[in-house]
C-alpha cells in the first residue's frame, strides 16, 4: 500500500485525535452539519430561481413518506443504496477505494437475468441461485482489480473505473446479442425472468420487494464480518497500518484481494436483488447510478454499517421526493443532484483541510531540516 493511499483513507475517516468527544459523536456531528449546509445552500439556489424552498422541502417529505405507497417506494430506492454503500464502506476499512460498484452491480444484475430466463426451478431455489450467481459475478469482477493492485501495483481507483466501462460495453453486447429477447418489436432487452426467480413484493401497493430484507441481512453480516471475525481484524489492521500488519504476520496482498472480492460480491448481490425484485428483465441502457451515489452514502455514513443504513435511507428519501418537488413545487429534479454533490463536498472539506495542513507542516519540517 502506498503512503498516498493510506493518507487518503485517513482523511476520509477523519482526524478526531484533537477532540475529547467520542469519535462516533464527532462523525455524527460532522455529517449533520454537512446535511444542514447542503440543504441550506439548496434553499438559496431555489430562491435565486424563484422557487419557494419551504414548499419544495414540504413536497419532498410528502412525496417520500407521506403515505404507504410513497414510503414503500422510498424503501425500494433505499435498498440498492444499502448494497452499494456497504460495497464502498468495506473497501474503505482496508484503505481500498472500490469505485467500480456500478459495474459490479450491473454485472450481478445481468447474471441474475440470465439465471432467471435460462431455466426453471422451485421459487426458493431459483431466486436463491440468481442472487448467489449475482454475488459471485460481482465478486469476481471486483477481484480482478484486487489482483491487479496486489500483484501489479495498479491503483484500484483506476482499475475499478476502467472495469465499469468494460462492464457497460459487455452488457450492451449481451443485451443486444446473445441474451436479446426475440420479438416483433425488436427491443434490445432480455426476456422477462421466470416468476420463480422473482422476489415477492412485501409492501403493496408499492414496488418494495423482499430485497430490503436481503439488504438488512447483508448489512448485519457485513458488520459481523468486519467487527467480529479474524478476517475483519486483518482488514482493519491493514487499513490502519499495512506495515505493522505485515510485521504481525498478516499478508496485505491476500487481504487486498479478499476484501475487493467481498466488496464486489455485495454490489453484485445488490444488482441481483434489483433485477429479481424490481426490473425483472435487463433493458439496454440500464444505468441507475446506484454505484456512484454510493460514494456519498459511504462518506456520509462514515463507512460504518449503521451510518450507511441511515445515509442510504436519506438518499432514498431524496430520490423519491425529487419527483414530488418537481410536480408540486416546480423545482427541477437536478436540484436534488446538486444537494447530493454538496453533501459530498461538505463531508469531505474538513478532511481535505486537515490533509492540507499536515502536508504544509511536513513541507515546513523538511525545509527546516
Amino acid at each position: 500500500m502506498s503512503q498516498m493511499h493510506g493518507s487518503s483513507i485517513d482523511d476520509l475517516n477523519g482526524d478526531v485525535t484533537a477532540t475529547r468527544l467520542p469519535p462516533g459523536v464527532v462523525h455524527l456531528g460532522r455529517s449533520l452539519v454537512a446535511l444542514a449546509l447542503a440543504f441550506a445552500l439548496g434553499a438559496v439556489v431555489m430562491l435565486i430561481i424563484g422557487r419557494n424552498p419551504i414548499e419544495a422541502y414540504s413536497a419532498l417529505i410528502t412525496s417520500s413518506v407521506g403515505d404507504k405507497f410513497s414510503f414503500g417506494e422510498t424503501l425500494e430506492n433505499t435498498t440498492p443504496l444499502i448494497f452499494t454503500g456497504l460495497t464502498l464502506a468495506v473497501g474503505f476499512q482496508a484503505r481500498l477505494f472500490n469505485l467500480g460498484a456500478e459495474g459490479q452491480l450491473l454485472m450481478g444484475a445481468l447474471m441474475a437475468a440470465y439465471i432467471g430466463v435460462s431455466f426453471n426451478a422451485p421459487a426458493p431455489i431459483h431466486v436463491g441461485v440468481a442472487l448467489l450467481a449475482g454475488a459471485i459475478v460481482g465478486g469476481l469482477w471486483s477481484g480482478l482489480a484486487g489482483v491487479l493492485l496486489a500483484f501489479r501495483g495498479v491503483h484500484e481507483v483506476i482499475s475499478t473505473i476502467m472495469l465499469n466501462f468494460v462492464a457497460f460495453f459487455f452488457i450492451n453486447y449481451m443485451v443486444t446479442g446473445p441474451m436479446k429477447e426475440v420479438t416483433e418489436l425488436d427491443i434490445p432487452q432480455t426476456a422477462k425472468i421466470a416468476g420463480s426467480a422473482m422476489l415477492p413484493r412485501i409492501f403493496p401497493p408499492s414496488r418494495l420487494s423482499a430485497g430490503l430484507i436481503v439488504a438488512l441481512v447483508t448489512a448485519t453480516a457485513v458488520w459481523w464480518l468486519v467487527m467480529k471475525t479474524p478476517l475483519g481484524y486483518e482488514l482493519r489492521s491493514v487499513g490502519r497500518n499495512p506495515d505493522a500488519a505485515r510485521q504481525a504476520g498478516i499478508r496485505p496482498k491476500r487481504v487486498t484481494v479478499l476484501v475487493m472480492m467481498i466488496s464486489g460480491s455485495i454490489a453484485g448481490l445488490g444488482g441481483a436483488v434489483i433485477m429479481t425484485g424490481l426490473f425483472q428483465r435487463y433493458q439496454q441502457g440500464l444505468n441507475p447510478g446506484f454505484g456512484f451515489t454510493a460514494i456519498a452514502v459511504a462518506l456520509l455514513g462514515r463507512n460504518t454499517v449503521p451510518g450507511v443504513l441511515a445515509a442510504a435511507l436519506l438518499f432514498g428519501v431524496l430520490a423519491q421526493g425529487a419527483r414530488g418537488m418537481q410536480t408540486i413545487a416546480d423545482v427541477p429534479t437536478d436540484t436534488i443532484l446538486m444537494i447530493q454533490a454538496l453533501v459530498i463536498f461538505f463531508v469531505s472539506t474538513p478532511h481535505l483541510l486537515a490533509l492540507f495542513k499536515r502536508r504544509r507542516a511536513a513541507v515546513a519540517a523538511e525545509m527546516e531540516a
Side-chain angles (χ1 to χ4, degrees), residues 168-292:
F168 298 156
F169 288 116
F170 172 75
I171 291 170
N172 184 68
Y173 163 73
M174 294 299 293
V175 173
T176 59
M179 291 180 61
K180 180 180 177 181
E181 181 184 25
V182 179
T183 63
E184 294 181 356
L185 297 177
D186 196 33
I187 300 175
Q189 63 183 15
T190 68
K192 189 173 183 179
I193 63 175
S196 57
M198 295 180 185
L199 285 168
R201 302 287 169 87
I202 61 173
F203 202 68
S206 73
R207 299 173 299 166
L208 179 64
S209 74
L212 176 63
I213 299 173
V214 178
L216 295 177
V217 171
T218 302
T220 303
V222 168
W223 176 86
W224 177 80
L225 171 70
V226 172
M227 304 303 300
K228 299 296 183 180
T229 67
L231 178 59
Y233 171 78
E234 290 183 2
L235 73 88
R236 285 184 285 117
S237 298
V238 170
R240 292 190 177 99
N241 192 324
D243 294 329
R246 188 179 295 106
Q247 293 177 0
I250 298 172
R251 294 178 292 171
K253 290 184 178 180
R254 168 183 168 273
V255 172
T256 294
V257 176
L258 285 176
V259 170
M260 288 298 289
M261 292 185 69
I262 293 170
S263 175
S265 68
I266 297 171
L269 177 59
V273 163
I274 64 172
M275 182 54 59
T276 57
L278 180 61
F279 297 119
Q280 299 178 351
R281 70 167 80 230
Y282 206 113
Q283 295 180 324
Q284 184 185 27
L286 176 64
N287 189 8
F290 297 131
F292 301 111

Side-chain angles (χ1 to χ4, degrees), residues 87-88 91-92 96-101 104 142 156-157 160 260 263-264:
T87 295
L88 271 78
F92 285 156
L96 296 171
F97 289 85
N98 181 1
L99 299 188
Q104 295 149 24
S142 181
E156 74 278 6
V157 169
T160 51
M260 288 298 289
S263 175

